[in-house]
C-alpha cells in the first residue's frame, strides 16, 4: 500500500503543490497575515471577555475596533496585490507592473450598477475574484511580453520610462477587457467567481470535506512531503474568507457563521504540529529507550510552538507504518469531536486570526475570542492525543529496546573478545 501511494498518489499531489499558480496564490494569501493578525489584536482589546469591559470602554470600543474594518475589509485587495506580485516573479516578469495593473483591474471589477466602487467587495466578498483576476492579468501580460507585442523606446530613454511604455499595451488590453465585461455587458464578475467556486467552498466548510483534507495532508507528510504547504494554495483562500466573515459577525455581535474557518484546523487538530504529535512527544519523555527519550526532549521546545519536523523525521513517522496510523487517526478524530462541539455551540468558533506558532491552550483562547469551554477542550485534545499515540508508541518502543539490548550485548561481547585476545 505504501508503495502504491508513493508511486501513484504522491506524484500527482506533488505536481499540484508545485504548480506555479498555486504557489503564487499560497504566497500571495500569506501577505494578508500581518494585517489580519494586527486587526485581530485591536478586536481582542475592544472585546476582552471581562464582565463590564465593553461598558467601561464606552465610545472607545468603536474607535479601537476601527482598524478591523480596514484590515479585514481589504483582504481581497491585499490578496490581489500579493498574488500578482508572486506570480509575476514566478514568470520572471516585471512584478511592480503586473501588481499595478492587477490593482486597477480588480477595482474596476468591483464597480456596482451605478459605476461606483463597492467597498464591501474589497474584503472577503471579493477574495475569489481577486485570485482569478490576478492570475488572468499576469497571464495576459506574460502573453504580450513573450511575443514582444510591446512598445519599445530607444536605448537612451530612462529604464523607468521605457518600462512604463512597455507595459502600456498589455495594461490597456487587460483593463479594456474587464471594462467591457463589467460595464458594457453588466456582468457581475465577483458574483460569478463566487458562484463557480461555491462547491469547493461548501466542501471545505463541511465535516466530510475537512476529513478528506486532513487525510491527504497526513498522507503527504507520511511520505516525507510538507502536506500543509502542498494543499494550502487551494485551501487558504477559503479558510481566510471564512475567518474574515466570522470576525465581521463577531464585531457586530451576530451569530458566528462558519466552523472550519482559519484556526479550526491549526488550533484544534495540529496540537504540536500536523498529526497532533504533541501527544507522541509527551509519551517519548517517559520512554525507557535512550533514543526516543532524547528525541522527545529535543522535539518538545519546537512542538510547543507547533513545529514538528524534529519528531516527524527524528522518530521517524515518515514511512513508518506503525506511527502512520495514529498520525492520521488522531487529527481526524479531533476534527469530528471539535466540529461537533462547535456545531452544537458547546465551544466557541474561530473568530480571530492568530499566528500558527501560538502554543496550544493559549491559541484556543485567542482564536475563539476568550471562550473558556474552547480552552478546556484544548486541554482535552492534548490528553486525547497522548492516549491515541501511547499504545502505538509502546509497541515501537519495545522494538527499539530489543535493538538497543542487542547492540549493548554485541558491544559487551566485542570488548570481552578483545580482552581475551590481548591476554
Amino acid at each position: 500500500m505504501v508503495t502504491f501511494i508513493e508511486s501513484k498518489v504522491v506524484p500527482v499531489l506533488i505536481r499540484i503543490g508545485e504548480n506555479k499558480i498555486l504557489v503564487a496564490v499560497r504566497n500571495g494569501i500569506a501577505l494578508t497575515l500581518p494585517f489580519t493578525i494586527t486587526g485581530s489584536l485591536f478586536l481582542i482589546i475592544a472585546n476582552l471577555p471581562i464582565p463590564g469591559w465593553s461598558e467601561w470602554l464606552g465610545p472607545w470600543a468603536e474607535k479601537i475596533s476601527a482598524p478591523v474594518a480596514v484590515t479585514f475589509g481589504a483582504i481581497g485587495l491585499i490578496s490581489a496585490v500579493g498574488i500578482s506580485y508572486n506570480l509575476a516573479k514566478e514568470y520572471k516578469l516585471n512584478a511592480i507592473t503586473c501588481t499595478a495593473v492587477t490593482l486597477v483591474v480588480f477595482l474596476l471589477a468591483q464597480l456596482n450598477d451605478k459605476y461606483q466602487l463597492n467597498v464591501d467587495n474589497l474584503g472577503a466578498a471579493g477574495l475569489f475574484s481577486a485570485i482569478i483576476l490576478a492570475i488572468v492579468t499576469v497571464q495576459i501580460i506574460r502573453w504580450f511580453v513573450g511575443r514582444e507585442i510591446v512598445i519599445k523606446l530607444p536605448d537612451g530613454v530612462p529604464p523607468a520610462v521605457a518600462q512604463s511604455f512597455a507595459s502600456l499595451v498589455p495594461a490597456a488590453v487587460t483593463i479594456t477587457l474587464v471594462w467591457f465585461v463589467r460595464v458594457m455587458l453588466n456582468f457581475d464578475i465577483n458574483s460569478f467567481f463566487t458562484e463557480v467556486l461555491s462547491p469547493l467552498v461548501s466542501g471545505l466548510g463541511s465535516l466530510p470535506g475537512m476529513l478528506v483534507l486532513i487525510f491527504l495532508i497526513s498522507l503527504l507528510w507520511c511520505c516525507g512531503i510538507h502536506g500543509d504547504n502542498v494543499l494550502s494554495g487551494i485551501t487558504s483562500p477559503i479558510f481566510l474568507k471564512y475567518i474574515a466573515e466570522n470576525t465581521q459577525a463577531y464585531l457586530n455581535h451576530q451569530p458566528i457563521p462558519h466552523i472550519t474557518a482559519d484556526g479550526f484546523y491549526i488550533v484544534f487538530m495540529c496540537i504540536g504540529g500536523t498529526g497532533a504529535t504533541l501527544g507522541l512527544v509527551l509519551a517519548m519523555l517517559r520512554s525507557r529507550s535512550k533514543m526516543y527519550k532524547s528525541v522527545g526532549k529535543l522535539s518538545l521546545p519546537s512542538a510547543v510552538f507547533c513545529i514538528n519536523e524534529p519528531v516527524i523525521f527524528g522518530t521517524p513517522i515518515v514511512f513508518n507504518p506503525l506511527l502512520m496510523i495514529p498520525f492520521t487517526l488522531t487529527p481526524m478524530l479531533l476534527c469530528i469531536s471539535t466540529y461537533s462541539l462547535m456545531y452544537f455551540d458547546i465551544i466557541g468558533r474561530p473568530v480571530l486570526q492568530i499566528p500558527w506558532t501560538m502554543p496550544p491552550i493559549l491559541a484556543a483562547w485567542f482564536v475563539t475570542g476568550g471562550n473558556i469551554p474552547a480552552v478546556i477542550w484544548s486541554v482535552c485534545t492534548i490528553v486525547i492525543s497522548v492516549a491515541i499515540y501511547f499504545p502505538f508508541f509502546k509497541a515501537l518502543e519495545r522494538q527499539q529496546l530489543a535493538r538497543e539490548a542487542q547492540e549493548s550485548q554485541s558491544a559487551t561481547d566485542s570488548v570481552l573478545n578483545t580482552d581475551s585476545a590481548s591476554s
Side-chain angles (χ1 to χ4, degrees):
M1 183 177 178
V2 172
T3 303
F4 171 78
I5 291 171
E6 185 182 10
S7 61
K8 301 296 182 182
V9 179
V10 172
V12 175
L13 294 175
I14 290 176
R15 283 197 295 272
I16 293 174
E18 292 177 346
N19 182 274
K20 290 184 177 182
I21 293 176
L22 289 180
V23 169
V25 170
R26 181 186 70 210
N27 296 336
I29 292 294
L31 182 64
T32 65
L33 288 175
F35 304 97
T36 53
I37 291 175
T38 302
S40 296
L41 292 176
F42 279 93
L43 191 59
I44 290 170
I45 296 171
N47 296 272
L48 284 174
I50 300 173
W53 178 260
S54 297
E55 291 76 10
W56 181 77
L57 283 178
W60 277 96
E62 188 174 352
K63 293 179 180 179
I64 294 172
S65 300
V68 180
V70 179
T71 50
F72 281 90
I75 59 173
L77 186 67
I78 297 168
S79 298
V81 170
I83 294 167
S84 60
Y85 179 87
N86 282 283
L87 189 56
K89 298 288 281 185
E90 289 285 338
Y91 290 136
K92 295 180 173 55
L93 300 172
N94 186 279
I96 191 63
T97 297
C98 293
T99 301
V101 176
T102 298
L103 186 60
V104 174
V105 165
F106 174 71
L107 293 174
L108 184 60
Q110 309 312 319
L111 298 180
N112 58 24
D113 293 337
K114 295 181 180 179
Y115 313 126
Q116 297 172 338
L117 184 63
N118 184 357
V119 294
D120 292 337
N121 286 348
L122 302 184
L127 185 58
F128 294 141
S129 64
I131 295 170
I132 303 299
L133 289 171
I135 295 170
V136 170
T137 299
V138 174
Q139 294 291 358
I140 290 175
I141 294 174
R142 182 190 179 202
W143 189 88
F144 276 92
V145 172
R147 288 160 179 76
E148 297 187 354
I149 308 176
V150 295
I151 297 174
K152 295 183 179 180
L153 297 181
D155 294 337
V157 177
V161 177
Q163 180 58 48
S164 297
F165 275 90
S167 62
L168 177 59
V169 174
V173 170
T174 309
I175 293 170
T176 302
L177 177 63
V178 176
W179 164 79
F180 182 77
V181 173
R182 180 66 192 102
V183 177
M184 300 304 294
L185 299 182
N186 196 29
F187 184 81
D188 193 333
I189 298 173
N190 196 66
S191 298
F192 173 74
F193 289 139
T194 301
E195 188 66 27
V196 168
L197 293 172
S198 60
L200 180 59
V201 175
S202 300
L204 288 176
S206 67
L207 179 58
M210 284 302 302
L211 291 175
V212 171
L213 175 64
I214 291 171
F215 177 78
L216 290 175
I217 290 174
S218 301
L219 176 66
L220 285 167
W221 269 113
C222 289
C223 296
I225 300 161
H226 200 305
D228 300 89
N229 279 353
V230 168
L231 297 175
S232 63
I234 300 170
T235 61
S236 293
I238 296 169
F239 295 149
L240 180 61
K241 175 180 170 64
Y242 283 166
I243 194 64
E245 292 173 352
N246 280 8
T247 301
Q248 193 61 45
Y250 180 72
L251 184 63
N252 297 329
H253 304 288
Q254 298 172 345
I256 308 303
H258 304 292
I259 293 176
T260 62
D262 190 65
F264 170 80
Y265 168 69
I266 292 293
V267 173
F268 297 100
M269 272 114 265
C270 294
I271 311 106
T274 306
T277 51
L278 183 58
L280 177 60
V281 173
L282 294 176
M284 284 181 174
L285 293 178
R286 298 182 63 84
S287 175
R288 291 180 295 141
S289 165
K290 294 180 181 179
M291 187 194 82
Y292 287 138
K293 194 167 187 176
S294 298
V295 172
K297 288 180 179 179
L298 291 172
S299 302
L300 183 60
S302 58
V304 171
F305 297 96
C306 301
I307 300 169
N308 64 348
E309 278 81 356
V311 70
I312 286 180
F313 296 103
T315 309
I317 294 174
V318 175
F319 291 118
N320 187 331
L322 193 58
L323 289 182
M324 285 167 66
I325 298 172
F327 185 81
T328 305
L329 181 64
T330 305
M332 293 183 78
L333 289 178
L334 292 177
C335 179
I336 295 170
S337 305
T338 306
Y339 189 97
S340 301
L341 290 171
M342 289 184 179
Y343 181 83
F344 291 107
D345 295 322
I346 298 173
I347 65 174
R349 301 180 181 186
V351 294
L352 302 172
Q353 192 171 43
I354 61 173
W356 62 270
T357 51
M358 187 172 289
I361 304 175
L362 187 63
W365 191 87
F366 277 105
V367 80
T368 58
N371 183 260
I372 299 301
V375 173
I376 296 172
W377 172 242
S378 181
V379 176
C380 294
T381 60
I382 297 174
V383 176
I384 293 170
S385 173
V386 174
I388 296 175
Y389 271 104
F390 191 76
F392 292 94
F393 172 68
K394 295 306 287 185
L396 195 69
E397 183 188 46
R398 283 193 294 270
Q399 297 175 9
Q400 179 61 25
L401 286 171
R403 283 194 293 268
E404 290 178 3
Q406 185 177 1
E407 290 171 1
S408 178
Q409 184 62 43
S410 298
T412 302
D413 293 343
S414 177
V415 170
L416 291 175
N417 290 335
T418 303
D419 291 343
S420 298
S422 60
S423 62

